[in-house]
């Protein structure tokens, strides 16, 4: 598998994040969650970079529309990454000491978030 390709993709995502201003973009949520993927698949110790990412994502959710947008991105991420263990995903914010008022699952109803 091409890790060079992955690195290019990450670089592109980071560039997009730098360009995006203000409004929540799923690309930035995805890039923050990148370090979490091995944990979400296999468990073990939560990577420090993953918790940092979760905290950053949580920090983007300041208003109701932002929280709904972040929720939609998280839902998309959880649904889009193959092999994710949903029980690990649901426990992840807590493992990082972050409280997110909904569960990370593909069936989360983001429109109910206030
Ligand atoms: C998900 O992770 C939990 C906790 O590590 C584990 O007990 C469970 O077997 C895992 N489930 C799957 C489907 O891998």
């Amino acid at each position: 598998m091409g890790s060079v390709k992955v690195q290019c993709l990450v670089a592109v995502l980071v560039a997009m994040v730098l360009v995006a201003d203000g409004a929540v973009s799923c690309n930035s949520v995805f890039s923050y969650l990148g370090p979490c993927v091995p944990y979400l698949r296999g468990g073990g110790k939560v990577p420090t970079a993953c918790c940092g990412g979760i905290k950053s994502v949580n920090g983007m959710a300041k208003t109701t529309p932002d929280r709904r947008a972040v929720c939609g991105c998280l839902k998309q991420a959880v649904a889009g990454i193959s092999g994710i263990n949903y029980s690990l995903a649901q426990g992840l914010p807590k493992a990082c000491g972050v409280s997110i008022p909904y569960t990370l699952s593909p069936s989360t109803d983001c429109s109910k978030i206030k």
Side-chain angles (χ1 to χ4, degrees):
M1 287 266 287
S3 72
V4 172
K5 269 189 195 155
V6 172
Q7 278 166 15
C8 285
L9 183 61
V10 170
V12 169
L13 290 177
V14 170
M16 285 165 117
V17 172
L18 294 176
V19 173
D21 76 309
V24 172
S25 96
C26 280
N27 286 321
S28 57
V29 171
F30 296 163
S31 63
Y32 282 130
L33 288 182
C36 302
V37 173
Y39 171 78
L40 292 174
R41 286 189 172 139
K45 192 175 174 289
V46 183
T48 311
C50 167
C51 283
I54 294 281
K55 283 174 189 153
S56 303
V57 167
N58 201 35
M60 298 195 299
K62 293 211 167 66
T63 63
T64 299
D66 285 351
R67 277 189 284 276
R68 286 184 183 159
V70 166
C71 170
C73 296
L74 290 174
K75 202 174 141 172
Q76 223 177 296
V78 169
I81 302 166
S82 62
I84 280 201
N85 180 327
Y86 296 131
S87 58
L88 291 173
Q90 286 171 18
L92 183 59
K94 198 157 173 248
C96 291
V98 173
S99 82
I100 291 183
Y102 49 86
T103 51
L104 295 182
S105 116
S107 58
T108 300
D109 185 352
C110 295
S111 69
K112 294 224 168 75
I113 292 169
K114 297 213 168 66

